[in-house]
Amino acid sequence: MNQIQFEKPVFSMKSALPPSSRLEQADQILLTRLHEIIDLQLLNALFQPIIQLQTGEIIGYEGLIRGPSDSPLHSPMNLFKVAWANNLTVPLEHLCRQIVLRQFAELDLPGKLFLNVSPECLLQRDAKHGQTLDLIHQIGIHPERVIIELTENQPTYDYQLLGQAVSHYRQMGFQIAIDDLGEGFSSLRLWSELRPEYVKIDMHFIQGIDHDPVKMQFVRSIQEIAEKSGTMVIAEGIETQAEMLLIRNLGVANGQGYHIARPHAQPARILSAEVESALGHTRTHLPLKTRIQRQNTVTAIKLLHQMPTATPDMSNNQIYEIFLANPELQIIPVVDDGKPIGLITRENLIERFSRLYQRELYGKKPCSSFMDHKPLIVDRDTSLQDLSNIIVEADRHHLSNGFIITEQGRYLGMGTGRDFVREITQLQINAARYANPLTLLPGNVPINEQMERLLHSESYFYACYCDLDYFKPFNDAYGYRRGDDVIQATGQILVDKADPDQDWVGHIGGDDFILLLQSADWQARCNGILQQFASMIQNYYSIEDRERGGYLSEDRQGVKVFCPLISLSIGIVKVEPGKFYSHHQIATAAAEAKKQAKKISGNSMFIDRRLGPASVSLVRNAVALCAEN
């Protein structure tokens, strides 16, 4: 019968130690390794893109830290856990900050850098002496490009001191973000106390949101609060296309996550084909200026003329023969392997050859000796407005010589100064024909056209109907000239507060204006309009009327009534793909929102969050800003 034999246990010194001693030894090894990492700066920076969900544009990167790959302290969780246990969090954080900033600068990444900082580190005494500011100046990053992202690892109790620290950083030019909203100990109160420029929704509420109505409602509520407070929302942890599209449709401005791009030492600078395809119909949501250039504005390609070209090795005699054979030809572009390198003008060549012995001396030399080596070169998609600015800033002779038109640097043809002047004049005539004569802003025809273009491109935007309250009695009491001044000043405020690259301002007529806003901070811009208007309108009243907040005027029956100072009402409608089908529907909805805004006393804004023009359920939110009269 076989007997079962058991191996004798082999004991090592390590296993012979009691459990508490083994733990102490392991902790000591980790602490030694942490000191080595800090002393030798053995950390690596990774960067994860953050995108604008409506446009697909990468707005910046979050800087992340990893320890040595062969170390148990590779993950940031383990790294900071050991640092916290040994009171080394602050020096470790300072080192992380330095490495992330330097690597961001070396990679020359576009956009903003989201830099993780704990409240504990922010409140350290040495953090208030400009250490971070000195570092970013040293490596050449402007403070406005850096977002201090507050990461909460423990409860924050001294909100007053933290608020002072945040204010200190803001004064230096930094902006503030709160990380993991909904996950931390006191993130909601931090939001209320600090009023950050950005909040990041914790990934718990993002992952699986397309299957969880509670998570969806949480994100919708956070987005509504953000709109009221002028804060930008970033959704973290997006891992599927369905999550990304749903979050975008909830109006969340920005997102990051593995589905968009993973953290990497050499991060992506453009979206993957998969993500770009998923955002396809909103990739047409380019800034208005760019989209108009591509689709509707006359560009340099309309001025294109084909004409004979020369190569740089052709002789001056050969060029001369071309001019003789083409009496109408005034200029010949010189092209080398498809790329334009210069221009030769008839006037210059003939003038040179008319001098004594010049043709004999230079006739057989390469034509490059007589050419203009710095011709005016523009891309085919350059708008005539931009081309006009280029010509004005360039030397005077470029208007008479003309300009070379290219496509991705390759020669296409020539444009003449005469054709340019003709087209720009026609544009000015058309603009004047449809502009409001008082403000020179686009009138009803271009307003309707612009809304139709946005609908056709399936863009997201906010249609804002702006109307002056108590304007008619003011016009009667102070005269139409003063009334015109108020309308012009109002139009100027709207133009000043709009982003020229993303927003659009039109003048419907009288005291009615329209704003088509695509800026991510659209609500903050509307609040700014109301505030600036409330200050501006005071200047158009007498001291007595300002002091009593209005004036007496006759109504249509000749009865004396008290009229308050003019106020501004803005009715706002959110336009999304598939919810409106014509500019008529948008105009009707915006007019209804304006009526609701006018019911609110003083300068006011009413946001109509209807689900669509045919919907019977309306979700509305009114915001009133009362001016001090």
Side-chain angles (χ1 to χ4, degrees):
M1 182 176 179
N2 295 330
Q3 293 183 348
I4 301 175
Q5 296 182 348
F6 294 93
E7 293 184 4
K8 294 181 179 180
V10 178
F11 294 95
S12 66
M13 289 295 295
K14 181 176 180 181
S15 62
L17 293 173
S20 59
S21 298
R22 290 201 301 270
L23 288 174
E24 290 175 1
Q25 187 178 47
D27 289 342
Q28 186 60 44
I29 292 172
L30 290 176
L31 177 58
T32 302
R33 183 58 169 152
L34 178 60
H35 277 296
E36 180 185 6
I37 289 172
I38 294 176
D39 294 341
L40 300 180
Q41 299 190 1
L42 302 178
L43 296 174
N44 301 304
L46 305 180
F47 299 92
Q48 186 174 32
I50 300 172
I51 69 167
Q52 216 287 337
L53 290 170
Q54 306 300 338
T55 67
E57 174 190 5
I58 294 178
I59 65 165
Y61 297 82
E62 179 179 359
L64 304 167
I65 279 291
R66 298 291 185 270
S69 59
D70 60 347
S71 166
L73 301 182
H74 173 67
S75 77
M77 182 177 296
N78 291 342
L79 187 68
F80 278 91
K81 181 179 179 181
V82 174
W84 173 254
N86 294 279
N87 295 319
L88 292 173
T89 303
V90 172
L92 177 61
E93 246 190 72
H94 281 308
L95 176 60
C96 293
R97 202 182 305 182
Q98 294 173 25
I99 289 174
V100 168
L101 283 165
R102 288 198 176 98
Q103 192 63 23
F104 183 78
E106 289 176 10
L107 292 172
D108 193 24
L109 292 173
K112 297 180 181 293
L113 170 64
F114 286 74
L115 190 64
N116 289 308
V117 179
S118 69
E120 176 196 13
C121 190
L122 197 71
L123 293 173
Q124 288 294 312
R125 185 174 300 173
D126 58 350
K128 290 193 174 185
H129 294 291
Q131 191 177 67
T132 301
L133 188 64
D134 291 342
L135 178 60
I136 69 168
H137 282 321
Q138 177 185 342
I139 62 179
I141 300 177
H142 196 281
E144 291 181 355
R145 294 186 62 200
V146 178
I147 313 296
I148 301 296
E149 184 173 326
L150 293 178
T151 57
E152 193 180 18
N153 298 314
Q154 59 175 325
T156 299
Y157 299 111
D158 198 335
Y159 292 98
Q160 182 177 1
L161 184 59
L162 184 59
Q164 294 172 0
V166 165
S167 176
H168 174 74
Y169 272 82
R170 279 199 173 108
Q171 290 172 7
M172 292 190 291
F174 299 98
Q175 291 183 312
I176 304 298
I178 292 178
D179 190 24
D180 295 335
L181 184 73
E183 189 273 340
F185 300 96
S186 52
S187 54
L188 285 175
R189 180 169 176 182
L190 274 179
W191 187 0
S192 175
E193 295 278 353
L194 303 182
R195 302 299 171 94
E197 285 75 18
Y198 297 87
V199 293
K200 286 188 166 185
I201 303 179
D202 182 66
M203 65 175 63
H204 167 77
F205 299 97
I206 302 303
Q207 293 170 357
I209 189 174
D210 51 316
H211 302 297
D212 191 329
V214 175
K215 290 182 178 181
M216 187 185 306
Q217 183 56 49
F218 177 86
V219 173
R220 183 183 286 115
S221 300
I222 291 299
Q223 177 61 26
E224 290 182 1
I225 296 172
E227 289 177 358
K228 292 181 178 66
S229 62
T231 302
M232 300 284 289
V233 176
I234 301 173
E236 290 188 295
I238 298 174
E239 294 190 352
T240 68
Q241 177 176 309
E243 292 168 0
M244 179 180 70
L245 296 179
L246 177 59
I247 291 163
R248 179 198 63 187
N249 291 338
L250 289 175
V252 174
N254 307 302
Q256 71 180 106
Y258 280 8
H259 179 70
I260 295 169
R262 290 176 175 268
H264 201 278
Q266 299 283 336
R269 293 171 184 260
I270 59 174
L271 292 182
S272 68
E274 178 186 3
V275 174
E276 186 168 1
S277 175
L279 296 174
H281 69 273
T282 53
R283 289 290 286 154
T284 57
H285 175 102
L286 298 167
L288 277 175
K289 184 176 179 181
T290 303
R291 184 170 55 255
I292 291 171
Q293 285 178 359
R294 293 187 179 181
Q295 296 181 354
N296 302 287
T297 298
V298 178
T299 60
I301 192 65
K302 186 173 183 180
L303 308 179
L304 184 70
H305 289 279
Q306 299 294 340
M307 55 184 60
T309 62
T311 57
D313 57 350
M314 291 176 65
S315 69
N316 288 318
N317 281 334
Q318 290 176 293
I319 302 300
Y320 183 72
E321 294 300 326
I322 295 175
F323 278 128
L324 289 181
N326 299 273
E328 299 298 321
L329 189 62
Q330 299 298 316
I331 198 161
I332 297 177
V334 182
V335 180
D336 185 17
D337 192 26
K339 296 185 177 180
I341 61 172
L343 289 176
I344 301 175
T345 65
R346 172 188 290 268
E347 181 182 6
N348 182 53
L349 182 64
I350 292 178
E351 191 272 332
R352 292 286 193 96
F353 275 11
S354 66
R355 301 176 189 175
L356 191 61
Y357 304 125
Q358 291 294 298
R359 183 167 185 181
E360 288 78 7
L361 289 173
Y362 294 102
K364 294 182 180 180
K365 291 185 179 297
C367 65
S368 57
S369 59
F370 279 2
M371 76 178 183
D372 177 359
H373 291 268
K374 295 182 179 180
L376 186 59
I377 302 175
V378 298
D379 185 81
R380 56 169 291 164
D381 291 328
T382 303
S383 71
L384 293 199
Q385 287 86 351
D386 289 342
L387 179 57
S388 176
N389 294 331
I390 293 171
I391 291 176
V392 167
E393 294 174 1
D395 292 337
R396 186 179 303 175
H397 70 275
H398 287 305
L399 182 59
S400 57
N401 285 355
F403 43 90
I404 295 173
I405 301 174
T406 60
E407 182 176 24
Q408 297 182 348
R410 307 288 293 180
Y411 174 82
L412 287 182
M414 288 287 300
T416 68
R418 183 178 65 179
D419 288 345
F420 165 75
V421 171
R422 184 187 67 247
E423 287 294 337
I424 204 74
T425 301
Q426 188 61 47
L427 283 177
Q428 292 171 342
I429 292 172
N430 290 339
R433 179 183 302 165
Y434 296 117
N436 186 284
L438 183 58
T439 59
L440 299 182
L441 290 171
N444 288 323
V445 170
I447 288 171
N448 295 337
E449 290 176 347
Q450 186 60 39
M451 284 195 283
E452 289 294 339
R453 283 194 289 264
L454 292 171
L455 286 173
H456 180 71
S457 64
E458 296 187 310
S459 296
Y460 289 73
F461 65 99
Y462 290 85
C464 310
Y465 195 141
C466 307
D467 185 23
L468 300 182
D469 308 315
Y470 306 107
F471 177 74
K472 187 180 184 305
F474 172 88
N475 218 27
D476 294 339
Y478 279 87
Y480 73 90
R481 180 62 263 176
R482 185 72 66 91
D484 286 351
D485 291 342
V486 169
I487 290 175
Q488 289 174 329
T490 303
Q492 190 59 54
I493 290 174
L494 300 181
V495 171
D496 291 343
K497 291 297 183 182
D499 183 338
D501 287 333
Q502 300 187 84
D503 305 328
W504 200 89
V505 184
H507 187 175
I508 298 170
D511 58 333
D512 293 352
F513 295 84
I514 193 78
L515 282 171
L516 304 179
L517 300 180
Q518 292 184 286
S519 300
D521 58 345
W522 61 273
Q523 190 162 355
R525 292 179 184 275
C526 289
N527 284 328
I529 288 169
L530 294 176
Q531 292 166 1
Q532 188 169 335
F533 180 87
S535 175
M536 175 274 293
I537 199 62
Q538 302 282 326
N539 301 325
Y540 292 90
Y541 289 90
S542 66
I543 296 176
E544 295 79 7
D545 289 346
R546 286 203 300 268
E547 290 177 348
R548 62 187 175 186
Y551 55 94
L552 291 175
S553 179
E554 291 185 358
D555 62 14
R556 294 180 180 179
Q557 287 73 39
V559 178
K560 290 284 186 178
V561 294
F562 181 80
C563 297
L565 303 186
I566 295 175
S567 57
L568 177 63
S569 297
I570 306 177
I572 303 173
V573 174
K574 183 178 182 180
V575 182
E576 299 175 295
K579 294 186 178 179
F580 294 92
Y581 302 99
S582 73
H583 69 268
H584 298 289
Q585 290 180 332
I586 297 174
T588 300
E592 176 60 29
K594 179 203 69 172
K595 291 179 182 178
Q596 298 300 323
K598 292 176 78 69
K599 295 178 181 179
I600 304 170
S601 177
N603 297 288
S604 61
M605 175 169 60
F606 180 90
I607 306 170
D608 188 349
R609 304 184 189 279
R610 67 178 64 201
L611 301 177
S615 175
V616 294
S617 62
L618 298 178
V619 182
R620 289 176 174 167
N621 174 43
V623 177
L625 293 176
C626 298
E628 293 182 7
N629 295 329

